[in-house]
Every structure is written in structure tokens, then in C-alpha cells.
Amino acid sequence: MTISPSSIEQVIPGQGAMAQPSARARRRRFRFVANAKAATGLVVLGVYALLAVIGPWIAPYDPDARSADVLQAPSTRHWFGTTHLGQDIFSQILVGARSVMVVGLIAGVLATVLSILIGVTAGYLGGAADESLSALSNVFLVIPALPLIIIVASLVDQAGDLLVALIIGLTSWAWGARVLRAQTLSLRRRDYVEAARATGERTWRIIGFEILPNLTAIIASGFVGTVIFAVMSEITLAFIGISSVSSWNWGTILFWAQGQQALAQGAWWWFVPAGLAIALLGTALALINFGIDEFVSPRLRTGGRTRIRTADGRTVRMRVGFTPVLAPRAAPVPMQDTREDRTS
Amino acid sequence: MRFLLQRVAFYLFTAWAAITLNFFIPRIVPGDPVQSLISRNQGRISADAIASLRVLFGLDSDRNLWEQYVAYWGQLLHGDLGLSFTFFPAPVSEVIGSSLPWTVGLVGVTTIVSFLLGTALGVGAGWRRGSWIDGLLPATTFLSSIPYFWLGLVAIALFAGPGSFFPSSGGYEPGLVPAFDAYFIPSALQHSILPAATILVSSMSGWILSMRNMMVTVSSEDYITVAHAKGLSERRVALSYAARNALLPNVSGFALSLGFIVGGTLLVEIVFSYPGLGFQLFQAVGSKDYPLMQGIFLIITISVLVANLLADVAYLLLDPRTRKS
Amino acid sequence: MNGKVLEIRGLCVDYGIGADAVRAVRDVDLTLHRGEVLGLAGESGSGKSTLAYGLTRLLPPPGVVSGGQVIYHPAEGPPVDVLTLSPARLREFRWAETSIVFQGAMNSLNPVHKVSTQLLDVIRAHEPTSTAASRLARAKDLLRLVGIAADRLDSYPHQLSGGMRQRVMIAMALALEPQLVIMDEPTTALDVVMQRQILGQLAELRERLGFAVLFITHDLSLLVEFSDRIAIMYGGRIVEEAPAARLYAEPLHPYTEGLLHSFPALRGPRRELTGIPGSPPDLRAMPAGCVFHPRCPKAFEPCDERVPVLGPPGVDDPTRAVACWLHPAVAPLPR
């Protein structure tokens, strides 16, 4: 959806325009990291990435190793308690992080590459190519993705991480392709692209140097969105027992917890840590995406300075339609609003 | 009208694509899982049923692909989706027929309620920037990042259990006969509260956020400034001018993401053992009941397409620009 | 010219607050008389639209009015300062006393409502006791006033041409018979023929209904023809103000002169087209002294140090004012 620039916005200096000279761009890039939401998200994501690398090494126990401590509540020996076989849940979470992150990454990269190929091509070429590629992505968009993934994955016996990632990546590119197509379409009509075409620049150079750089934010946000979806899907597949139950991820933990009636036995520690780990990862990714959104259109920022204090200590709210007046009221105002008697 | 016809044509095309996908998936995957199922149940299945399964899953390799495809369509058009192994010997169509109303009731209704409620809150958040709803956003972000099924597990642990008002599983009191009567309906409602609340809590935040962002974007349109300049009441500017326009992209977004939402919400049924399509799909996966799985996928897809068409009709009614004859 | 309808005194408008604030309009004094057309001209970025949105308090965040007074004289009753009105009072005041025709003819109408809905809701908001039938009759009259058939009430904005939409906006602006209509580039988006047509109609309507117009445009040639007085804005300040004919015949400020030489004369002797070298100042880094001095061909010693005050250039000439060291003010503009 393209929003026509409003005439009022054009009066405001330093807002609205996205493509700016490089000095401004650099400052904006810095501002993205300075965005509190994006920064929080990136830090949390960094911790997860670290766990994905070192998790299996720092895990205190072998996640498969059984012990006599059956169904123990969290203690100093087992931080997150144990399973019905006496396995250490903390170790399972640590070891499982790698599978979750790897699947999210592979599926996210695959879907993003597909969405760029399909979306940008459709938007740039137009005509029949656009029609058919758009139809293709709309079909994939409308078909319920998760049931499709379940069907395909269930036909393969004990699907491993890589296969699960491939299936998810191949089925979840459509949203990104749709957004990218729309944006490419509007970029293609911009003057500098028209100019590049008129001077006989090669198509791949125009796409690579004029169009793609301006799609960075959208591509990034699409990537993050796909990673969220991929992680959720992977965990769901493991939870309902489709993917391989022998390798650990957080869905597998939940699968065993559900299968062994952890709820009925009051073993809350069995499913709470895995769920929180997922939720925290999802939140971190969502925060990064909010950061990108706000970076692209600054108007969306929450909080900020909607309330301002004037010189004489009054608080005024910034709002559309009623521009605040900062002038101190102490100034001599010979005429007063005399229509007090009328009701509003 | 043209708009609607275009959409119908597109949905027919999508339905064809989904069915064709369904035809090819078992033929591409190596190994014959269905073949082994048939041989395991040798003697219990009638010759007719075996023939139908062979058509559905491409085991009649003496025919070429095109003949297989034609035969497959012929069988679908007769409503024959094969036999379910989980509910042996019930036909898949029968199993789906009995669970579809539950899903439409639970997932359908809560999806719509969640959209309406989230949109209403989003209008508030977008219009009054920095109000209490803005403060709610981080919390809803967290809630929407939780997988639906896990939230269901937590809901059961917290609210259901022995002696609680909320039952932890099933769609109605065991022993009752499904009927529209004073015993069954209250029981069904009671069983649906917790799963419905789970879906609402985790799916609503998306709508709050997208509507909020649309409101913020629309608020800077010229016609909003004009509405303010006209001295209209705050309420009228917010609802009739801003929200009315911001709703349009949100409705088309709703239509587009139905496929995503429905897929996720179906899984809530699993944790609550709710007798709908999602729980059925779970059982089918557990017992490798491929005919049932594929049947459910088809029905879910077609339901989503119908829901999409309804959302398009709503859009048509909301946006005069698409009504041009 | 019988009496004032709007007095702007020392109006300042900023974007942002505190250290980030950028002053887009500074110390603007401007007076509108009843029934007159005051033209406000300047390049883009000169602050003319900001001035209009600021004085009506329609400027979106981060815009703030940081000082001054906007005093409105109603037909009867004591004057009011628009900047001190409470939101409820402001809402009553808007459209009933001053209405606005906006720049974007395309985006000014709500795309999802019929023309009738948008015409009727403003009448109902301000005259809640009127009957539905009388409101409808008024809406039909209004459309006829601007030369549109009454059956167009049932149209949606997308079914109207650009010219028609702008005429609907003008009809809407006159709905409550305001004393002042602010027009922000009302015809810029239209083709020249349509532009002439609408302006002609507007002149005629003003003759008939007697409202005052604040006409904002970058097109000085339009103003020379259409307005009684012209104010020139540069870098957020008014740099010259004079009766239209005198400003055209004898511009005092070098910037006005430059603007006049940027378009061909419609009547009278041919002039050389020269334009103005350089570009408008960056609001974040305003030059010291006269804001125009870096581009001014006639800049001399005091220009880069001291800010010239807006005032009459001679004792015998109270109808015009200029802010330029070439014509130092004999006295600051009387308030």
C-alpha cells in the first residue's frame, strides 16, 4: 500500500523522504541501533546466538542421560528440574537452542532469497511475468502454511533439522515477495531509476545498485518475520511429533512433557522454561521488527514526546489537529475568549 | 461486481492449485507409506476402498500421470477422500464432517472476535498516541510471541483442573449427545471458553498493532486535517474519517493472513483435545493416517478460501472505490 | 476596507521543542481587513504554509506555535485570540469563522464518504438544531453556487474530476458563511484553464458574499491579478507588504524584485527574466543579519550583521512596508 505524501508533510523539514544523502543515511543507521526496541531485541538475539554456539558445551548434563532423579522440581543440581526419565531439562534447553536457531536461520535465508527473486523480479519486469509471479505468491499466501508444512513433513519419516528448514523456507516466502513487489513497483517509477534506464544501464545493475539498497529495510523486516514463523513452525512440528524426536529442540521437550502428562502430574517446570525461551526469542525478533518499522516511518514511534512542558510549567499534548501553543500566558492578552457561556 | 468476479476466479485457481499440490505431494515423496498401511490392514479393507486409496495416493503406477490426475479429480468430485485409518473404517469425509462444525465454531468465531476487538483497541491506541494502550503494546508483543499451544498448556495449568469451572479437555461433557438442547449447548460453551480465550489473547495483539500503525499513517492524510479544520467533534474525526479509512488495509490484511492464523489456532485444539479439525489432524499425524491428513488439509484450505471471499465482500462494502461497475 | 478581521502579531512557529527546535515562522505581523484578498507569496520553504497552518493550529506534530497572538474580530462581539481558545471553543470557531481550502484537491475529501455526507456533517456539527431538510437544501445551494449540479451530492470523491473536487472544497468552505477563507495553493494542482475558471468564480463569490481571503501561493503572477494586497515571505519572515499594483510596479525589496523577474509579465512592457540565484536558506542554519543577504545582489555593509525591521519605507507612505536596509523603516509597523 503506497500512501501519497500529504501536502502538509512536505512543509516539515527533515521528515518523510527515505532516500537521503549518505551522511544522513549514516546517521540514520546509527539511530536504528540507538532505537531502544531494536537494541533490546538485538541484545537478546545475540544471547540466543551465543547459546546456539556454546550451548551443547556448557550444558551440565547429557540431555539424553537418564538418572535416578525422576521428575524433580528445580533445584541447585537441576536448575530447571528433570523429566520422567531423570533427564536434566536445563541441559535440554541449552542443547536445543542450536537446532532452533539453525532452522530459523536456514529457513529465513531461503525464504528471503526466494522472496527477493520472485518479488523484485515481478515488480521490476511487470507485464505477464508480474501477473504470473504475483498469482503464484498469492496462492502460497492464501493456502494455510502450517497444515501444508505438517502434511509434507509427516510424509518423510523422522524429518531432520535441515529438511524441516527446507520445507518451511520453501512454503513461507510469499508474504515477503508480495511486499517487495509492491515496493519495487513504486521504486521503479522513481526518477533516478527511470534515469538509469534511459541511459542504458543494464537491468541487473539497476536492480543491484538502484533498487535493492532501497529495499534493505523491507528485506530485513521480511527476514525477521520469516525467522519468527520458521521457529514457531519448527517447534510446532516437534511438539506434535512429526520431526525427529531424537534430536533436541524446545518443541521436543514440550512433546515429551505433553506425552507424559506433565500437566496432570503438576510438573510445571517441564514445559514452562521451553515456552518462555520461545516467547523471549519471538519477542526479541518482534522488537527488532518494530525498530525497523519505526526506522522506516518515524511517525510510528510510540511514547516519544507526546507530552511537552512549556516554559511556564504547563503540560501540553502533541496531537494532530490542535497544534500546541507554547507562548506563556503571562503576556498581556487584551482580548479574552468571551464566549464562555456557550456550551460545546 | 468485476472486482468480486476477479476474486472468485482467483480463489477457484487457488483451490485448483491446492488440490493439485495435494495430488503431487504423495507422488513426489519417496517410499509408499500408504502402501504399507494397506498391507498392514490387509483383509480388513474392502477392495473398493483399496482402489480409492490407490487413486488418491498414486499407487496405480500402471497408469500415466495424466490418467491418474483425471481419476483423482473424478474421485474428489464424488466426495470420496478415502478411508480414515484412525477411525477405521469411517470414510475421511465423515470424520471431517463431524469435526468441521467444532472448528468453525471455535476458530472461526474467535478469529473474527479477535480481529474486531484488536481493531477497536488499535483505533484507540493510534488516535491517542501515548495513552495507556500504547503501554499495553510490549505486553501484547510478548503474548503474541508465545506459541498458541503453549499458552493453552499454561491456561490449563492455571485455570483448569479438578474442581475448576473450566474443563481441561473435550468439546462437551462426556455422556451428552450433541444436539441443540439446554444440556448440550451450555456444556459446549463452557468447554470453549478457555481455548477461545487462549486464541484471543495471543492473536489479538497483531491487530492492535497493525490498526494502530494504520491510524497513525492515516492521521497525517489531508482529509483528516480538513476534518479537524471543519470543527467536527473528536469522535467523528476519529471514527468516521480516520478509523473508517484505516480499516480498509486492515481488512485486506486480515484476508491475506487468514491462512497463517488458522494454521496456528488449529493447534490450540490439540492441547484442549477439542474435537475439531486441528485435534483430528494431530491424531492423524500420530497414527500416520495420510488420507485423513490430506483430507483435512483440503478442507482447511477451502474454508480459508471461503473466509477470504467473505472478507473480500466486506472490503467491497467498505470501499466505494472498488464498487465501480 | 472597513475594519480588521484578523490580526497576526509576532507569530512564531517551530518544528520540534527545545534544542532540536527549528523556527519556520518568526515574528510575523500581518493584518487582514474585511472583504480583502491578501496574497501571501514566497518560494517553497519560505514558511507561508506553516504560517497558515500555525495560525489555525492545524500544524501536525512536531509543529508548535511558540509565540505571538492571532486575534480574530467576529462580525459582532469582542475579538478573540485564536491561540488561547480551548479545544472545544476552537472547534466551534473553526469553519464557522475561518474556513480553509487546502492544497491537495485530490486528498482533501474523505475517499469513503459521499460528497453529501461531507458537506452535511460540517453544517450539522455547527448548527445542531437545523433540520435535515434545511441542511440538504443548503448543500444543494452550495454546489450550485460553485457551478456543480445538485445530483453530484451522491457522488464519491473518486467519481469527480480534480477541478470538481476543488470546487466542492470551495463550496464546503463557504457552507457556514465564514468571514475569512484561507486558501493554500488552491489551484496549483489544476491545469491553467481550470485554474482561471475557478479563480474567476472565486472573485465573483467574494464580491457577492464579502468574505476576506488569505491566498497563499508561490505564483506571484496569480496574486498580482487576483489580490488587493500582497505580502512576500522569505526565510520565515514577511519581507515586504504592499498593495498589489504598487508592489508589481515598484518592488522595494530585492527579493520581491527577483520574484517578479522570475515570470513573464502578463500585461504591460516586457521585462527581462532573471530569476534569483542560489536557493532558500536552511532553516537549521539561518544566516545572520538579513536572511536574504547571501543571495542578494544589492547586499551591503549592514546586511550581514543586523536584521532589518519591517516598516513603512517613508513617512508619506503608510500603505506599504518593507524589511530591507536599502529602505530602512521610518518607524516599526504600527500595531
Tab-separated table of all heavy atoms in Angstrom, chain A residues 169-201:
chain	number	residue	atom	x	y	z
A	169	GLY	N	11.153	-23.027	4.642
A	169	GLY	CA	11.633	-21.959	3.776
A	169	GLY	C	10.900	-21.937	2.439
A	169	GLY	O	10.552	-20.872	1.928
A	170	LEU	N	10.643	-23.126	1.892
A	170	LEU	CA	10.011	-23.199	0.581
A	170	LEU	C	8.539	-22.810	0.606
A	170	LEU	O	7.950	-22.524	-0.433
A	170	LEU	CB	10.144	-24.627	0.017
A	170	LEU	CG	11.536	-24.999	-0.483
A	170	LEU	CD1	11.589	-26.471	-0.861
A	170	LEU	CD2	11.902	-24.135	-1.688
A	171	THR	N	7.920	-22.816	1.809
A	171	THR	CA	6.493	-22.517	1.844
A	171	THR	C	6.186	-21.142	2.431
A	171	THR	O	5.031	-20.755	2.468
A	171	THR	CB	5.734	-23.574	2.671
A	171	THR	OG1	6.450	-23.771	3.883
A	171	THR	CG2	5.606	-24.877	1.937
A	172	SER	N	7.192	-20.406	2.886
A	172	SER	CA	6.842	-19.182	3.613
A	172	SER	C	7.471	-17.922	3.020
A	172	SER	O	7.688	-16.964	3.724
A	172	SER	CB	7.221	-19.327	5.084
A	172	SER	OG	8.582	-19.665	5.185
A	173	TRP	N	7.715	-17.909	1.726
A	173	TRP	CA	8.336	-16.738	1.110
A	173	TRP	C	7.301	-15.755	0.583
A	173	TRP	O	7.632	-14.637	0.184
A	173	TRP	CB	9.221	-17.178	-0.059
A	173	TRP	CG	8.513	-18.120	-0.977
A	173	TRP	CD1	8.507	-19.480	-0.905
A	173	TRP	CD2	7.656	-17.784	-2.068
A	173	TRP	NE1	7.707	-20.006	-1.879
A	173	TRP	CE2	7.172	-18.983	-2.609
A	173	TRP	CE3	7.248	-16.573	-2.643
A	173	TRP	CZ2	6.283	-19.021	-3.689
A	173	TRP	CZ3	6.367	-16.616	-3.718
A	173	TRP	CH2	5.897	-17.824	-4.231
A	174	ALA	N	6.022	-16.152	0.563
A	174	ALA	CA	5.039	-15.406	-0.229
A	174	ALA	C	4.786	-14.001	0.318
A	174	ALA	O	4.664	-13.045	-0.444
A	174	ALA	CB	3.736	-16.185	-0.306
A	175	TRP	N	4.711	-13.877	1.630
A	175	TRP	CA	4.413	-12.556	2.209
A	175	TRP	C	5.488	-11.539	1.828
A	175	TRP	O	5.203	-10.448	1.348
A	175	TRP	CB	4.281	-12.675	3.729
A	175	TRP	CG	3.869	-11.390	4.349
A	175	TRP	CD1	4.686	-10.381	4.760
A	175	TRP	CD2	2.527	-10.957	4.579
A	175	TRP	NE1	3.922	-9.343	5.250
A	175	TRP	CE2	2.602	-9.675	5.155
A	175	TRP	CE3	1.267	-11.544	4.377
A	175	TRP	CZ2	1.477	-8.957	5.519
A	175	TRP	CZ3	0.153	-10.817	4.739
A	175	TRP	CH2	0.253	-9.554	5.301
A	176	GLY	N	6.758	-11.970	2.026
A	176	GLY	CA	7.862	-11.084	1.682
A	176	GLY	C	7.837	-10.709	0.210
A	176	GLY	O	8.042	-9.547	-0.151
A	177	ALA	N	7.551	-11.696	-0.648
A	177	ALA	CA	7.538	-11.425	-2.084
A	177	ALA	C	6.480	-10.392	-2.415
A	177	ALA	O	6.693	-9.491	-3.230
A	177	ALA	CB	7.260	-12.725	-2.849
A	178	ARG	N	5.352	-10.475	-1.770
A	178	ARG	CA	4.258	-9.545	-2.043
A	178	ARG	C	4.651	-8.108	-1.676
A	178	ARG	O	4.466	-7.178	-2.448
A	178	ARG	CB	3.037	-9.991	-1.249
A	178	ARG	CG	1.788	-9.285	-1.628
A	178	ARG	CD	0.685	-9.695	-0.671
A	178	ARG	NE	-0.287	-8.621	-0.606
A	178	ARG	CZ	-1.309	-8.520	-1.438
A	178	ARG	NH1	-1.493	-9.428	-2.371
A	178	ARG	NH2	-2.151	-7.529	-1.341
A	179	VAL	N	5.226	-7.974	-0.468
A	179	VAL	CA	5.616	-6.633	-0.011
A	179	VAL	C	6.722	-6.066	-0.910
A	179	VAL	O	6.690	-4.898	-1.299
A	179	VAL	CB	6.083	-6.702	1.456
A	179	VAL	CG1	6.525	-5.339	1.923
A	179	VAL	CG2	4.964	-7.223	2.335
A	180	LEU	N	7.696	-6.925	-1.241
A	180	LEU	CA	8.810	-6.459	-2.071
A	180	LEU	C	8.342	-6.065	-3.460
A	180	LEU	O	8.829	-5.098	-4.033
A	180	LEU	CB	9.880	-7.554	-2.173
A	180	LEU	CG	10.755	-7.716	-0.946
A	180	LEU	CD1	11.647	-8.928	-1.098
A	180	LEU	CD2	11.597	-6.469	-0.748
A	181	ARG	N	7.397	-6.811	-3.992
A	181	ARG	CA	6.887	-6.478	-5.321
A	181	ARG	C	6.266	-5.084	-5.310
A	181	ARG	O	6.555	-4.255	-6.180
A	181	ARG	CB	5.843	-7.499	-5.759
A	181	ARG	CG	5.168	-7.106	-7.044
A	181	ARG	CD	3.989	-7.986	-7.382
A	181	ARG	NE	3.224	-7.360	-8.450
A	181	ARG	CZ	2.220	-6.515	-8.252
A	181	ARG	NH1	1.869	-6.201	-7.029
A	181	ARG	NH2	1.585	-5.983	-9.265
A	182	ALA	N	5.431	-4.831	-4.304
A	182	ALA	CA	4.763	-3.531	-4.233
A	182	ALA	C	5.784	-2.404	-4.139
A	182	ALA	O	5.681	-1.391	-4.837
A	182	ALA	CB	3.821	-3.500	-3.041
A	183	GLN	N	6.813	-2.606	-3.312
A	183	GLN	CA	7.799	-1.544	-3.124
A	183	GLN	C	8.652	-1.350	-4.387
A	183	GLN	O	8.953	-0.232	-4.766
A	183	GLN	CB	8.670	-1.878	-1.903
A	183	GLN	CG	9.568	-0.754	-1.451
A	183	GLN	CD	8.787	0.481	-1.022
A	183	GLN	OE1	7.616	0.387	-0.665
A	183	GLN	NE2	9.410	1.635	-1.079
A	184	THR	N	9.020	-2.486	-5.023
A	184	THR	CA	9.806	-2.379	-6.252
A	184	THR	C	9.034	-1.614	-7.312
A	184	THR	O	9.581	-0.778	-8.031
A	184	THR	CB	10.136	-3.788	-6.788
A	184	THR	OG1	10.713	-4.540	-5.739
A	184	THR	CG2	11.100	-3.712	-7.951
A	185	LEU	N	7.748	-1.909	-7.383
A	185	LEU	CA	6.893	-1.251	-8.356
A	185	LEU	C	6.947	0.257	-8.189
A	185	LEU	O	7.045	1.003	-9.160
A	185	LEU	CB	5.453	-1.752	-8.137
A	185	LEU	CG	4.559	-1.910	-9.345
A	185	LEU	CD1	5.200	-2.845	-10.342
A	185	LEU	CD2	3.217	-2.454	-8.908
A	186	SER	N	6.913	0.706	-6.920
A	186	SER	CA	6.913	2.153	-6.723
A	186	SER	C	8.312	2.730	-6.931
A	186	SER	O	8.469	3.844	-7.426
A	186	SER	CB	6.363	2.510	-5.345
A	186	SER	OG	7.384	2.515	-4.398
A	187	LEU	N	9.348	1.943	-6.590
A	187	LEU	CA	10.723	2.414	-6.809
A	187	LEU	C	11.022	2.543	-8.302
A	187	LEU	O	11.717	3.445	-8.730
A	187	LEU	CB	11.725	1.441	-6.188
A	187	LEU	CG	11.918	1.499	-4.679
A	187	LEU	CD1	12.877	0.415	-4.245
A	187	LEU	CD2	12.461	2.856	-4.267
A	188	ARG	N	10.458	1.616	-9.064
A	188	ARG	CA	10.763	1.578	-10.485
A	188	ARG	C	10.311	2.858	-11.178
A	188	ARG	O	10.859	3.278	-12.176
A	188	ARG	CB	10.044	0.379	-11.107
A	188	ARG	CG	10.577	-0.049	-12.438
A	188	ARG	CD	9.937	-1.340	-12.807
A	188	ARG	NE	8.509	-1.154	-13.033
A	188	ARG	CZ	7.939	-1.259	-14.236
A	188	ARG	NH1	8.663	-1.554	-15.270
A	188	ARG	NH2	6.647	-1.095	-14.374
A	189	ARG	N	9.282	3.483	-10.627
A	189	ARG	CA	8.770	4.702	-11.250
A	189	ARG	C	9.497	5.948	-10.770
A	189	ARG	O	9.230	7.030	-11.245
A	189	ARG	CB	7.277	4.843	-10.953
A	189	ARG	CG	6.475	3.718	-11.542
A	189	ARG	CD	5.016	4.097	-11.698
A	189	ARG	NE	4.204	2.906	-11.835
A	189	ARG	CZ	3.551	2.344	-10.835
A	189	ARG	NH1	3.604	2.886	-9.638
A	189	ARG	NH2	2.858	1.243	-11.020
A	190	ARG	N	10.410	5.792	-9.791
A	190	ARG	CA	11.130	6.979	-9.315
A	190	ARG	C	12.057	7.507	-10.402
A	190	ARG	O	12.534	6.757	-11.241
A	190	ARG	CB	11.980	6.625	-8.082
A	190	ARG	CG	11.182	6.068	-6.946
A	190	ARG	CD	10.984	7.072	-5.842
A	190	ARG	NE	9.989	6.593	-4.906
A	190	ARG	CZ	10.277	6.071	-3.715
A	190	ARG	NH1	11.528	5.998	-3.343
A	190	ARG	NH2	9.325	5.657	-2.921
A	191	ASP	N	12.341	8.785	-10.296
A	191	ASP	CA	13.116	9.447	-11.344
A	191	ASP	C	14.484	8.830	-11.546
A	191	ASP	O	14.918	8.634	-12.671
A	191	ASP	CB	13.282	10.935	-10.997
A	191	ASP	CG	11.952	11.658	-11.130
A	191	ASP	OD1	11.053	11.089	-11.777
A	191	ASP	OD2	11.831	12.766	-10.585
A	192	TYR	N	15.198	8.526	-10.435
A	192	TYR	CA	16.576	8.092	-10.626
A	192	TYR	C	16.655	6.720	-11.286
A	192	TYR	O	17.619	6.411	-11.975
A	192	TYR	CB	17.343	8.128	-9.298
A	192	TYR	CG	16.813	7.246	-8.202
A	192	TYR	CD1	17.296	5.962	-8.035
A	192	TYR	CD2	15.832	7.702	-7.334
A	192	TYR	CE1	16.816	5.158	-7.017
A	192	TYR	CE2	15.350	6.904	-6.324
A	192	TYR	CZ	15.840	5.633	-6.170
A	192	TYR	OH	15.363	4.830	-5.180
A	193	VAL	N	15.611	5.887	-11.083
A	193	VAL	CA	15.600	4.599	-11.756
A	193	VAL	C	15.271	4.788	-13.230
A	193	VAL	O	15.904	4.213	-14.123
A	193	VAL	CB	14.604	3.638	-11.087
A	193	VAL	CG1	14.577	2.316	-11.831
A	193	VAL	CG2	14.972	3.423	-9.637
A	194	GLU	N	14.290	5.646	-13.492
A	194	GLU	CA	13.939	5.956	-14.882
A	194	GLU	C	15.167	6.497	-15.611
A	194	GLU	O	15.451	6.129	-16.741
A	194	GLU	CB	12.825	7.013	-14.923
A	194	GLU	CG	11.502	6.576	-14.300
A	194	GLU	CD	10.655	5.723	-15.228
A	194	GLU	OE1	11.182	5.302	-16.274
A	194	GLU	OE2	9.481	5.469	-14.901
A	195	ALA	N	15.900	7.367	-14.891
A	195	ALA	CA	17.085	7.972	-15.495
A	195	ALA	C	18.124	6.904	-15.824
A	195	ALA	O	18.702	6.892	-16.917
A	195	ALA	CB	17.675	9.017	-14.552
A	196	ALA	N	18.332	5.988	-14.875
A	196	ALA	CA	19.323	4.930	-15.098
A	196	ALA	C	18.927	4.082	-16.297
A	196	ALA	O	19.762	3.673	-17.097
A	196	ALA	CB	19.448	4.064	-13.846
A	197	ARG	N	17.605	3.828	-16.416
A	197	ARG	CA	17.147	3.024	-17.535
A	197	ARG	C	17.339	3.767	-18.849
A	197	ARG	O	17.723	3.192	-19.859
A	197	ARG	CB	15.682	2.652	-17.343
A	197	ARG	CG	15.518	1.186	-17.028
A	197	ARG	CD	14.168	0.734	-17.435
A	197	ARG	NE	13.169	1.663	-16.920
A	197	ARG	CZ	12.113	1.288	-16.238
A	197	ARG	NH1	11.930	0.026	-15.983
A	197	ARG	NH2	11.232	2.172	-15.828
A	198	ALA	N	17.045	5.057	-18.799
A	198	ALA	CA	17.142	5.858	-20.016
A	198	ALA	C	18.576	5.922	-20.520
A	198	ALA	O	18.823	5.982	-21.713
A	198	ALA	CB	16.609	7.267	-19.751
A	199	THR	N	19.556	5.897	-19.584
A	199	THR	CA	20.945	5.966	-20.024
A	199	THR	C	21.485	4.593	-20.411
A	199	THR	O	22.671	4.446	-20.667
A	199	THR	CB	21.843	6.545	-18.917
A	199	THR	OG1	21.640	5.762	-17.736
A	199	THR	CG2	21.518	7.980	-18.620
A	200	GLY	N	20.609	3.600	-20.448
A	200	GLY	CA	21.011	2.294	-20.954
A	200	GLY	C	21.749	1.431	-19.954
A	200	GLY	O	22.487	0.525	-20.327
A	201	GLU	N	21.567	1.720	-18.675
A	201	GLU	CA	22.168	0.868	-17.631
A	201	GLU	C	21.580	-0.544	-17.743
A	201	GLU	O	20.410	-0.715	-18.070
A	201	GLU	CB	21.818	1.487	-16.277
A	201	GLU	CG	22.651	1.021	-15.124
A	201	GLU	CD	23.996	1.728	-15.069
A	201	GLU	OE1	24.023	2.929	-14.717
A	201	GLU	OE2	24.991	1.064	-15.383
